[in-house]
């Protein structure tokens, strides 16, 4: 009796360990939001099947003979050990940060507490214990989802301590803080601004990749800000109303830059006006004697500039009136097999001409924003033009790669209607034999998601020779392009299909790479 | 006989990180197993040091699972006798360090300085020679001062270029004639070397160079050009030059791709072979013997003037139109230790022999340096 109880507990422990890590990955991708994680589990029906079936079979077997339950326990152990490891697999792997470990430990404690109670109460009724174990398999996401609210107070205290540390360091170093926000274009603009200031003006810290939350920025300041840094460029994301205001309390900006007010994350905000108000928190956070730089082509960003003017308020863009910095693409040329943009930039009455590996109107507009910001802070405009010639696009932001004579336009970051359309237009401009698109469509667009995906599918159908459509998330909307559509279960299948079709001289746009949350789930 | 543990150090905080890994692994594979116990020591791109048998496996560098390795460090404490293992808190014994680092933080003196402080023997040039030879401008200035033929150049400082960039570029244009070569002052493996044909290209090339180095060097571009290399080795108490090689460039100047990545053609470069895989003609029979001799003699002079040790490769530019040979640069830790030249030179040294020689030289140099007196009789504190 003791042997099978011990073996069942061992199997349960192993199963919990492996399965809970998988759920933890999804919780992490939902920004540790227990409610959103719960929605994900319910919507995607991410319920256990294997563990529950084995447990129920175990219950039947143990009625026949106690030792038969050993087979079920062994099967559970095998399933546990063969579980996908989210620390090593998946597009965004599970990062076992301190917070993730604490959440996991809390979930484990909850599970252990209930399991021990069940063990104690049902120790004489092993078949029922096996049957109840099926319920425990289903409870794993519940424990994972409950952990964040349970640790909320502890987490808030920890965060407050870390934020205070970061604030102390900031007051010692006292860099000029530049805040950048926008629905899209903020990571590319941040990277350009960081490079420009570092090369043209002095030591600059710019936050890594897509780090743009309070705790991410706190960590960057604590770990990477050095006493010699003169500038700090921070990307600031709005996940809800008030997020940017909180970031501005930590990092009060002297310079603010707003790239766009678009429809990304519309499902989180509810309306375009709420998004606009959230972005305007940066303009409000900039000191009245500071500098505000906005994308003049974007009505939302332009309206913020009018609403919250500063000592210097500047507009940049490509095609609207009253711009302080205007950029215009004058064509594409090829350099070492890769496409390169030629451009003309107007700044303070001067027209500067140059080339840059940055492609498409959106990228050039970001470059104009970064140029405007750096020049306003005192950088030499001619030097900035020379720097732009060597400025590679940020990874997965329309970065061209040539392999086997095929141009791959990598634009895998979470896509939006404007960015998607611009990428398609760039694909159309490339002097190539055939043009292909690989995409799962766009997500997080709330009520306009279907309509925008349909619009993009129609546009893509006119410009591309074939569309390799990935997954099921937006499949219905992309039905309008059925005659060009090649359906692929996931990215791996799509890449294989592409490889068979591509010939030297072709180009393919890889648009949008959905987080694991939107990928087909590996069997649970 | 007990094998001598040799710490083969490679990787490092450098754009030549990957090439260094290839040089290091080649050296480990070629080391005489009867005499030596190679201990791979890998320095990551962010400067952490690791040791472990897994490092011998080339496939490891695709995934870089550092958790499977022992993190180690070198403490600047004399007579530690090896690396300190951070987890085990014990010393991993090393008798001599074989340096296979290329580029910044490895070939240019910092690691050599640390090893000097730790009083550990190491192969190749010492701190001073490493620092000088990795600085192309300093090397050329010293050689020019001693009357050796080097190309004229201008060193450009990033700090100074930050204001009035256009005017300064115009000044360079006025003072030079296109085509020009722009390169970083302190990088090897031809990383960042650019040929420019006009003003805009010069401006862009300078800006691109400042992403890699704080200083850029502008030189005239020789056309038509023949590149020649000679290695020099300290052997039996005297510097000895190797045979001459002609590296084959795919374009007008030899690029990083030519040296490590090129494919196709009659001579196929293989990425896994490091510098040894580049396309070249060793000891070309149709090259003027007087030119070969001149290159060898200049290489020898440069090696001696700069106080080099171990194996060094001197790169030359030969102006075919004007028949002038220029010393271009010295590589204190050449790719693949230039063994492909020594296997065809006199004395003929195969790679295991070359490694053996470098280690023995390092041990004997260390013993000699340790014998130097660091104290003098002093009464300075006695009367305080």
């Amino acid at each position: 009796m003791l042997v099978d109880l011990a073996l069942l507990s061992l199997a349960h422990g192993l199963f919990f360990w492996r399965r809970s890590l998988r759920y933890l990955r999804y919780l992490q991708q939902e920004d540790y939001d227990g409610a959103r994680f719960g929605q994900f589990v319910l919507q995607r029906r991410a319920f256990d099947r294997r563990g529950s079936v084995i447990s129920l079979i175990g219950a039947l077997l143990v009625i026949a003979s106690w030792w038969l339950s050993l087979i079920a326990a062994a099967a559970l152990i095998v399933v546990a050990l063969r579980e996908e490891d989210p620390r090593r697999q998946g597009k965004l792997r599970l990062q076992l940060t301190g917070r993730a470990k604490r959440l996991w430990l809390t979930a484990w404690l909850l599970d252990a507490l209930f399991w021990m109670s069940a063990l104690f109460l049902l120790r004489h009724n092993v078949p029922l214990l096996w049957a109840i174990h099926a319920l425990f398999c289903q409870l794993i996401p519940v424990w994972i989802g409950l952990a964040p609210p349970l640790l909320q107070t502890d987490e808030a205290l920890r965060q407050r301590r870390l934020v205070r540390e970061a604030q102390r360091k900031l007051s010692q170093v006292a860099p000029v803080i530049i805040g950048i926000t926008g629905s899209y274009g903020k990571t590319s603009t941040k990277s350009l601004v960081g490079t420009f200031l570092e090369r043209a003006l002095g030591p600059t810290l710019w936050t890594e990749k897509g780090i743009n939350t309070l705790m991410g920025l706190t960590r960057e300041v604590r770990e990477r800000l050095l006493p010699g840094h003169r500038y700090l460029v921070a990307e600031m994301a709005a996940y809800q109303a008030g997020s940017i205001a909180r970031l501005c309390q930590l990092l009060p900006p002297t310079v603010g830059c707003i790239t766009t007010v678009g429809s990304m994350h519309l499902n989180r905000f509810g309306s375009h006006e709420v998004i606009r108000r959230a972005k305007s928190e940066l303009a409000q956070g900039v000191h009245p004697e500071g500098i505000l730089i906005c994308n003049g082509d974007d009505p939302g960003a332009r309206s913020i500039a009018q609403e919250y003017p500063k000592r210097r308020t500047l507009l940049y863009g490509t095609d609207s009136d009253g711009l302080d910095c205007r950029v215009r693409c004058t064509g594409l040329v090829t350099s070492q097999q890769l496409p390169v943009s030629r451009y003309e930039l107007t700044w303070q009455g001067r027209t500067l001409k140059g080339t840059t590996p940055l492609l498409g109107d959106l990228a050039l507009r970001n470059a104009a924003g970064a140029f405007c910001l750096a020049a306003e802070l005192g950088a030499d405009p001619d030097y900035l033009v020379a720097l732009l010639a060597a400025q590679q696009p940020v990874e997965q932001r329309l970065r061209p790669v040539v392999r086997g004579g095929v141009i791959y336009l990598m634009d895998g970051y979470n896509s939006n209607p404007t960015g998607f359309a611009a990428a398609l237009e760039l694909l159309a401009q490339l002097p190539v034999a055939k043009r292909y698109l690989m995409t799962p469509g766009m997500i997080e667009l709330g009520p306009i998601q279907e309509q925008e995906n349909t619009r993009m599918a129609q546009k893509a159908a006119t410009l591309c020779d074939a569309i390799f459509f990935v997954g099921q998330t937006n499949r219905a909307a992309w039905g309008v392009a059925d005659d060009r559509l090649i359906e692929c279960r996931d990215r791996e299948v799509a890449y294989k299909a592409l490889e068979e079709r591509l010939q030297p001289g072709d180009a393919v746009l890889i648009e949008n790479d959905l987080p694991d949350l939107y990928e087909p789930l590996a069997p649970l | 006989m007990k094998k001598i543990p040799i710490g083969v150090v490679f990787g490092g905080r450098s754009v030549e990180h990957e090439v260094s890994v290839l040089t290091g692994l080649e050296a480990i594979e070629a080391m005489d197993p009867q005499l030596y116990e190679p201990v791979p020591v890998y320095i990551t791109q962010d400067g952490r040091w690791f040791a472990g048998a897994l490092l011998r496996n080339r496939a490891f560098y695709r995934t870089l699972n550092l958790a499977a390795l022992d993190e180690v460090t070198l403490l600047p404490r004399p007579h530690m006798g090896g690396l300190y293992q951070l987890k085990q808190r014990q010393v991993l014994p090393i008798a001599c360090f074989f340096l296979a680092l290329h580029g910044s933080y490895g070939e240019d003196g910092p690691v050599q300085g640390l090893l000097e402080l730790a009083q550990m023997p190491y192969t190749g040039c010492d701190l001073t020679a490493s620092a000088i030879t990795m600085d192309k401008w300093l090397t050329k200035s010293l050689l020019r001062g001693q009357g050796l033929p080097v190309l004229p150049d201008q060193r450009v400082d990033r700090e100074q270029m930050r204001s009035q960039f256009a005017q300064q570029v115009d000044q360079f244009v006025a003072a030079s004639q296109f085509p020009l070569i722009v390169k970083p002052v302190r990088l090897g493996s031809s990383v960042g070397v650019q040929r420019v044909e006009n003003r805009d290209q010069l401006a862009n090339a300078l800006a691109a160079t400042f992403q890699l180095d704080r200083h850029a060097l502008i030189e005239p571009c020789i056309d038509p050009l023949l590149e020649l290399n000679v290695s020099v080795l300290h052997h039996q108490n005297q510097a000895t030059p190797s045979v001459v090689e002609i590296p084959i460039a795919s374009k007008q100047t030899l690029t990083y791709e030519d040296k490590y990545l090129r494919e196709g053609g009659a001579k196929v470069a293989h990425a896994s072979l490091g510098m040894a895989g580049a396309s070249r003609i060793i000891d070309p029979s149709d090259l003027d013997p007087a030119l070969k001799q001149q290159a060898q003699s200049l290489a020898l002079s440069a090696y001696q003037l700069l106080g080099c040790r171990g194996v060094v490769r001197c790169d030359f530019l030969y102006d075919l139109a004007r028949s002038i040979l220029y010393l271009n640069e010295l590589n204190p830790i050449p790719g693949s230790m230039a063994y492909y030249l020594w296997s065809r030179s006199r004395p003929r040294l195969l790679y295991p022999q070359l490694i053996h020689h470098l280690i023995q030289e390092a041990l004997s140099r260390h013993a000699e340096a340790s014998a130097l007196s660091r104290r003098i009789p002093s009464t300075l504190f006695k009367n305080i």
Side-chain angles (χ1 to χ4, degrees):
Chain A
M1 180 70 80
L2 267 180
V3 175
D4 54 355
L5 285 182
L7 201 62
L8 175 57
S9 295
L10 173 72
H12 171 71
L14 270 173
F15 186 75
F16 176 85
W17 168 47
R18 299 303 297 263
R19 179 58 62 83
S20 58
L21 285 180
R22 287 180 65 187
Y23 284 115
L24 191 61
R25 183 235 307 254
Y26 297 118
L27 180 71
Q28 193 167 59
Q29 290 187 17
E30 289 286 15
D31 302 324
Y32 299 116
D33 184 329
R36 283 177 65 90
F37 169 75
Q39 268 176 10
F40 158 77
V41 174
L42 291 173
Q43 277 171 7
R44 298 297 306 275
R45 306 178 67 79
F47 308 125
D48 170 69
R49 289 170 189 86
R50 293 173 174 182
S52 303
V53 169
I54 292 173
S55 302
L56 294 174
I57 294 172
L60 295 174
L61 289 176
V62 81
I63 292 169
S65 167
W66 75 268
W67 62 266
L68 281 173
S69 69
L70 301 184
I71 298 171
L76 201 57
I77 290 172
V78 170
V79 166
L81 294 177
R82 295 187 63 177
E83 283 279 284
E84 167 190 72
D85 187 346
R87 292 165 298 177
R88 297 195 175 85
Q89 289 161 291
K91 284 189 278 190
L92 272 180
R93 291 173 190 181
L94 171 67
Q95 301 294 321
L96 276 179
T97 57
R99 187 177 185 185
K101 281 179 191 162
R102 286 193 294 278
L103 291 169
W104 183 82
L105 192 67
T106 308
W108 178 78
L109 283 172
L110 286 169
D111 175 78
L113 186 72
F114 281 86
W115 177 247
M116 296 301 276
S117 310
L119 210 58
F120 178 74
L121 294 172
L122 301 173
R123 63 190 182 279
H124 301 302
N125 192 346
V126 182
L128 185 58
L129 194 62
W130 265 102
I132 291 280
H133 187 261
L135 177 66
F136 272 84
C137 294
Q138 300 297 340
L139 281 172
I140 297 173
V142 177
W143 306 141
I144 291 284
L146 276 177
L150 284 173
L151 290 186
Q152 204 170 12
T153 315
D154 172 65
E155 204 55 46
L157 286 172
R158 280 172 194 277
Q159 291 189 359
R160 220 170 294 160
R161 185 173 53 80
L162 295 174
V163 167
R164 272 200 302 270
E165 262 180 49
Q167 279 169 331
R168 265 200 299 276
K169 197 165 179 191
L170 276 165
S171 65
Q172 284 162 3
V173 180
V176 173
I177 296 170
I178 293 119
I180 297 177
T181 193
S183 298
Y184 44 89
K186 56 184 179 296
T187 305
S188 302
T189 308
K190 172 195 67 181
S191 164
L192 279 163
V193 169
T195 312
F196 283 175
L197 298 186
E198 163 71 22
R199 310 281 181 257
L201 290 176
T204 304
L205 169 70
W206 64 100
T207 51
E208 278 194 348
K209 290 184 185 164
I211 292 177
N212 52 25
T213 59
L214 181 67
M215 290 326 290
L217 291 173
T218 301
R219 191 170 159 187
E220 288 286 286
V221 169
R222 285 173 56 245
E223 292 180 2
R224 294 184 58 222
L225 185 69
L226 301 174
H229 277 131
R230 280 173 55 196
Y231 300 94
L232 191 162
V233 187
E235 177 181 331
M236 298 182 169
Y239 286 101
Q240 58 199 26
S243 331
I244 294 183
R246 270 193 296 280
L247 294 177
C248 289
Q249 277 175 1
L250 171 69
L251 299 164
T254 306
V255 185
C257 176
I258 299 173
T259 60
T260 39
V261 179
S263 44
M264 267 174 93
H265 308 308
L266 192 59
N267 60 341
R268 291 189 194 198
F269 287 94
S271 80
H272 196 265
E273 178 51 25
V274 179
I275 297 180
R276 198 190 74 87
R277 280 208 302 274
K279 304 291 178 202
S280 76
E281 289 168 12
L282 174 62
Q284 295 173 59
V286 173
H287 192 275
E289 286 300 303
I291 304 167
L292 180 62
I293 293 171
C294 293
N295 175 359
D297 296 339
D298 183 278
R302 191 181 261 262
S303 73
I304 293 172
Q306 282 160 354
E307 210 171 321
Y308 304 99
K310 303 293 161 185
R311 183 181 61 79
R312 292 281 291 153
T313 306
L314 301 160
L315 296 177
Y316 65 89
T318 54
D319 51 12
S320 7
D321 298 329
L323 296 176
D324 300 278
C325 178
R326 182 188 300 276
V327 72
R328 191 170 66 86
C329 181
T330 54
L332 285 181
V333 288
T334 307
S335 167
Q336 293 171 345
Q337 292 183 291
L338 288 171
V340 173
S341 307
R342 266 189 199 287
Y343 68 90
E344 275 182 15
L345 193 139
T346 317
W347 169 252
Q348 296 184 338
R350 279 185 70 194
T351 300
L352 300 147
K353 291 180 183 178
T355 57
T356 176
L358 303 176
L359 300 172
D361 274 358
L362 285 185
L364 282 179
R365 199 174 286 138
N366 294 337
F371 176 96
C372 182
L373 196 155
E376 187 60 25
L377 285 174
D380 181 339
D382 293 292
Y383 188 23
L384 296 178
V385 169
L387 284 170
L388 258 179
Q391 192 60 41
Q392 291 297 329
V394 176
E395 227 170 272
Q396 297 297 342
R397 260 84 165 180
L398 272 183
R399 187 172 195 153
V401 179
V402 176
R403 266 198 305 254
V406 176
I407 299 176
Y408 291 80
L409 281 177
M410 309 299 285
D411 199 24
Y413 184 68
N414 194 4
S415 189
N416 60 82
T418 317
F420 203 140
L424 281 172
E425 274 152 28
L426 178 68
L427 179 70
Q429 282 175 41
L430 293 179
V432 291
K434 293 208 162 152
R435 297 173 181 83
Y436 299 106
L437 168 69
M438 175 179 144
T439 186
M442 297 170 286
I443 53 156
E444 294 203 357
L445 296 177
I448 59 167
Q449 181 158 323
E450 181 150 4
Q451 165 200 337
E452 288 296 335
N453 273 293
T454 306
R455 195 168 66 82
M456 220 49 68
Q458 284 162 340
K459 189 175 177 83
T462 60
L463 299 174
C464 304
D465 294 277
I467 301 164
F468 294 80
F469 190 79
V470 183
Q472 287 300 314
T473 306
N474 291 309
R475 176 64 188 86
W478 282 73
V480 291
D482 255 349
D483 56 330
R484 309 239 155 170
L485 223 56
I486 297 166
E487 283 189 66
C488 306
R489 183 185 174 274
D490 55 34
R491 282 171 70 84
E492 294 307 312
V493 174
Y495 270 122
K496 275 194 189 130
L498 257 176
E499 271 167 30
E500 284 167 18
R501 183 72 75 94
L502 288 169
Q503 296 290 327
D506 293 345
V508 56
L509 169 66
I510 315 274
E511 182 68 25
N512 208 2
D513 184 5
L514 301 183
D516 302 275
L517 294 165
Y518 294 89
E519 288 286 320
L521 289 178
L524 286 160
Chain B
M1 192 174 65
K2 198 170 175 248
K3 293 179 190 175
I4 303 172
I6 305 293
V8 181
V9 191
F10 54 87
R13 294 167 62 189
S14 156
V15 291
E16 296 166 76
H17 180 95
E18 292 173 0
V19 186
S20 164
V21 172
L22 296 179
T23 301
L25 294 181
E26 269 177 4
I28 288 170
E29 285 154 16
M31 210 168 268
D32 187 343
Q34 304 289 324
L35 296 175
Y36 301 114
E37 176 64 48
V39 179
V41 181
Y42 172 61
I43 305 179
T44 60
Q45 284 272 18
D46 55 1
R48 292 167 70 191
W49 293 38
F50 289 91
L54 265 179
L55 289 167
R56 289 165 175 251
N57 185 353
R58 285 176 191 230
F60 169 83
Y61 300 92
R62 276 203 293 272
T63 52
L64 278 187
N65 178 20
L66 298 173
L69 302 172
D70 287 339
E71 185 160 8
V72 294
T73 191
L74 180 65
L75 298 175
R77 183 181 170 191
H79 313 299
M80 281 275 289
L83 293 162
Y84 186 70
Q85 293 171 300
L86 295 182
K87 206 183 253 175
Q88 295 90 331
R89 298 185 172 200
Q90 60 187 27
V91 174
L92 175 68
I94 304 283
C96 175
F97 282 93
F98 186 94
L99 300 187
L101 295 157
H102 298 311
S104 52
Y105 296 102
E107 197 177 359
D108 54 351
V111 171
Q112 289 81 351
L114 185 58
L115 288 162
E116 298 271 358
L117 288 173
Q119 288 201 10
M120 289 297 301
Y122 60 92
T123 57
C125 293
D126 67 4
L127 189 160
T128 317
S130 301
I132 294 173
T133 46
M134 275 303 284
D135 186 312
K136 295 184 178 81
W137 180 77
L138 204 52
T139 302
K140 285 174 69 182
S141 303
L142 285 169
L143 296 179
R144 191 182 289 121
Q146 295 296 322
L148 270 67
V150 290
L151 279 172
D153 56 35
Q154 292 187 78
R155 189 173 72 149
V156 190
D157 187 314
R158 184 171 88 168
E159 197 89 10
Q160 285 170 359
M161 291 296 284
R162 281 179 174 162
S163 57
Q164 302 199 312
F165 180 77
Q167 289 89 325
Q168 293 194 62
V169 171
D170 289 339
Q171 282 172 16
F172 294 132
V173 172
S176 350
Q177 213 174 354
F178 288 110
L180 294 167
I181 294 288
V182 179
K183 54 188 172 190
V185 166
R186 272 180 295 266
L187 286 185
S189 295
S190 301
V191 173
V193 178
Q194 296 167 83
R195 179 190 157 104
V196 296
E197 308 273 354
N198 55 47
R199 188 209 170 276
D200 285 352
Q201 284 183 3
L202 174 63
N204 295 348
L206 284 171
T209 304
F210 294 146
Q211 312 245 24
L212 300 168
D213 199 340
R214 285 185 298 121
H215 295 103
L217 208 60
I218 305 176
E219 292 175 344
C221 178
I222 297 176
D223 204 359
L225 165 75
L226 180 69
E227 293 192 45
L228 300 175
N229 298 341
V230 177
S231 175
V232 183
L233 177 70
H234 197 257
H235 188 254
Q236 291 176 347
N237 290 326
Q238 61 174 1
T240 310
S242 73
V243 288
V244 175
E245 69 156 327
I246 301 178
I248 313 274
S250 59
K251 294 176 189 162
Q252 279 138 320
T253 50
L254 204 64
T255 63
Y256 179 86
E257 285 73 20
D258 287 326
K259 287 184 175 174
Y260 303 108
L261 300 174
R262 209 166 116 208
E263 290 175 27
K267 289 164 189 269
V268 176
H270 199 284
S272 64
L273 292 178
M275 185 62 189
S279 301
R280 58 170 54 83
I281 305 166
I282 295 176
D283 197 13
S285 54
D286 51 353
L287 191 69
D288 181 0
L291 183 61
K292 285 187 195 175
Q293 209 178 3
Q294 190 191 359
Q296 288 171 322
S297 152
L298 285 172
L300 206 57
S301 305
Y303 184 94
Q304 287 167 333
L305 274 169
L306 300 175
C308 297
R309 277 292 183 274
V311 66
V312 164
R313 198 189 71 231
C314 301
D315 297 354
F316 292 89
L317 304 171
Y318 183 59
D319 186 336
L320 286 164
R322 297 193 295 160
S323 304
I324 304 177
L325 186 66
Y326 296 101
L327 237 166
N328 188 33
E329 62 179 43
L330 276 83
N331 301 277
I333 304 180
S336 302
M337 299 292 156
Y339 78 82
Y340 45 87
L341 289 175
W342 288 100
S343 60
R344 303 274 294 272
S345 298
R346 236 181 252 143
R348 181 166 183 255
L349 294 171
L350 297 177
Y351 201 12
Q353 293 170 297
L354 177 65
I355 290 170
H356 173 66
H357 173 78
L358 291 171
I359 293 170
Q360 292 306 312
E361 191 214 357
L363 291 170
S364 103
R365 193 179 57 188
H366 176 68
E368 205 176 305
S370 304
L372 290 173
S373 179
R374 304 286 174 196
R375 292 172 194 223
I376 52 166
S378 168
T379 56
L380 204 58
F381 292 110
K382 285 204 173 147
N383 300 325
I384 294 174

